[in-house]
Amino acid sequence: MSTRNHTFAVVMAACSMVATSGIAADYPERDMTLIVQSSPGGGSDIIARTIAGIVNDEKLSPTQMLVENKPGGGGAIAYNYVAQRKGDPYVMGTIATSFFVAPLMGQSPAKVEDFQPIAVIAGDPFILVAEAKSGIATLDDIRAKKVLRIGNTGPVTDPALLAVSLGDELDVEVRPVPFNGDGEVTTALLGGHIDLQFGNASEVMSQIEAGRVKAIAVTSPERLASLPDVPTFKELGSNIELMLYRGVVMPKHAPEEAISFWQGVMKKVSESETWKTQYVERNNSVPLFWNAEEFAARIPEISKLYADYLKTIEK
């Protein structure tokens, strides 16, 4: 083979390798779009815009990260949009409980298997609280009641799942009381219309600090830094442990280069002071980081948790 032909062959082989990988060697070349399954101002939207702000302000990517809201269908519209962009290295999505629940309930054709996990960068725990003067301060107090009213914002939510789990473990009858929003649940608790609430830390912390409600236990693996005197359920001999995981996914078949790049970016986001102060501390979240491999390994067990719960409420 002549020198010219040999050089041509090497160049063509290199071009073939780049084409096979699906992205150029200098990825990313254009802006990344982060799809949010909630409306502007919602929890997932706040997370997405905090992440995008850190990525852009700290120049963690040579291009910009843009946020686009696609609410509706209990998250299905956004999840389907991302899932249908198979192999697209320029779209990413946030997740919430609906990421696992919507396909289990037949509300979304997109399954968890249709996504490439990238990273989880925080966990939002729940706190079991009772009105301060109710006389309920421990799990033994709850067990002695036998019948309890617990508020939630729908039958397929984390607080509803936790309420059923609590009733099963303590052998008490749980009577769910539905409300339109978490604020209404807290108001009902303060008014004595319900006995307990599994509240997101960011929602009930002000009431705890004001002494209006009593924190009984937290659903995180370890005690919260903001509530060092409140035990975890595990410490009390319970099997209850659940957090709302905050993470991002890409479409299935995303190129390895894109997975590696954004996994690294999310690691830097999770370590940034801005993330710690603007999200973790502000929302009393649990700081953590799961890389793409760890996230993928956890998805089946999280999905099973919700699948088992759905079976109990369908009986």
Side-chain angles (χ1 to χ4, degrees), residues 151-282:
N152 60 54
T153 56
V156 191
T157 58
D158 289 320
L161 183 158
L162 289 165
V164 169
S165 299
L166 182 70
D168 289 344
E169 282 202 351
L170 301 185
D171 192 27
V172 298
E173 180 184 345
V174 170
R175 294 179 180 174
V177 183
F179 295 90
N180 292 322
D182 294 305
E184 291 185 12
V185 179
T186 303
T187 299
L189 181 71
L190 295 174
H193 304 297
I194 58 175
D195 303 300
L196 297 168
Q197 175 185 5
F198 274 102
N200 189 280
S202 62
E203 297 160 352
V204 299
M205 190 61 73
S206 62
Q207 300 297 336
I208 295 172
E209 293 172 345
R212 298 188 185 96
V213 302
K214 168 71 175 178
I216 299 171
V218 296
T219 66
S220 50
E222 299 178 355
R223 295 192 182 197
L224 302 182
S226 54
L227 292 173
D229 297 327
V230 179
T232 67
F233 276 93
K234 291 285 188 180
E235 288 181 80
L236 300 175
S238 166
N239 290 319
I240 293 176
E241 183 180 306
L242 180 69
M243 292 198 293
L244 175 54
Y245 296 107
R246 299 300 191 178
V248 293
V249 296
M250 291 182 75
K252 192 173 182 179
H253 303 313
E256 287 297 328
E257 296 92 333
I259 298 169
S260 177
F261 177 83
W262 287 107
Q263 174 183 264
V265 168
M266 290 303 151
K267 176 68 171 174
K268 292 176 182 177
V269 169
S270 72
E271 295 172 344
S272 75
E273 286 303 313
T274 302
W275 175 253
K276 293 174 183 176
T277 56
Q278 289 192 9
Y279 188 78
V280 174
E281 293 178 6
R282 182 175 294 179

Side-chain angles (χ1 to χ4, degrees), residues 45-67:
D45 178 70
I46 292 172
I47 291 164
R49 294 184 189 279
T50 303
I51 291 173
I54 295 170
V55 171
N56 297 336
D57 294 344
E58 300 187 13
K59 302 188 185 314
L60 302 182
S61 170
T63 61
Q64 293 287 293
M65 174 175 277
L66 310 177
V67 176

Side-chain angles (χ1 to χ4, degrees), residues 17-88:
M17 289 175 65
V18 172
T20 301
S21 71
I23 59 177
D26 53 353
Y27 173 86
E29 294 182 297
R30 54 189 175 86
D31 295 342
M32 165 63 77
T33 300
L34 181 56
I35 304 297
V36 186
Q37 77 283 352
S38 67
S39 301
S44 292
D45 178 70
I46 292 172
I47 291 164
R49 294 184 189 279
T50 303
I51 291 173
I54 295 170
V55 171
N56 297 336
D57 294 344
E58 300 187 13
K59 302 188 185 314
L60 302 182
S61 170
T63 61
Q64 293 287 293
M65 174 175 277
L66 310 177
V67 176
E68 183 176 342
N69 299 84
K70 288 187 177 295
I77 291 176
Y79 299 136
N80 288 337
Y81 177 83
V82 175
Q84 290 170 3
R85 304 287 291 272
K86 285 184 173 59
D88 188 341

Side-chain angles (χ1 to χ4, degrees), residues 99-158:
F99 176 76
F100 302 96
V101 172
L104 293 172
M105 297 184 67
Q107 296 176 338
S108 172
K111 313 297 182 186
V112 294
E113 296 82 9
D114 295 326
F115 300 88
Q116 168 59 53
I118 298 300
V120 165
I121 60 176
D124 287 357
F126 294 88
I127 306 173
L128 178 63
V129 295
E131 197 275 327
K133 299 178 182 179
S134 67
I136 301 176
T138 67
L139 294 188
D140 285 337
D141 294 335
I142 295 172
R143 188 179 285 108
K145 290 287 184 180
K146 292 300 181 182
V147 178
L148 289 160
R149 301 161 298 170
I150 303 183
N152 60 54
T153 56
V156 191
T157 58
D158 289 320

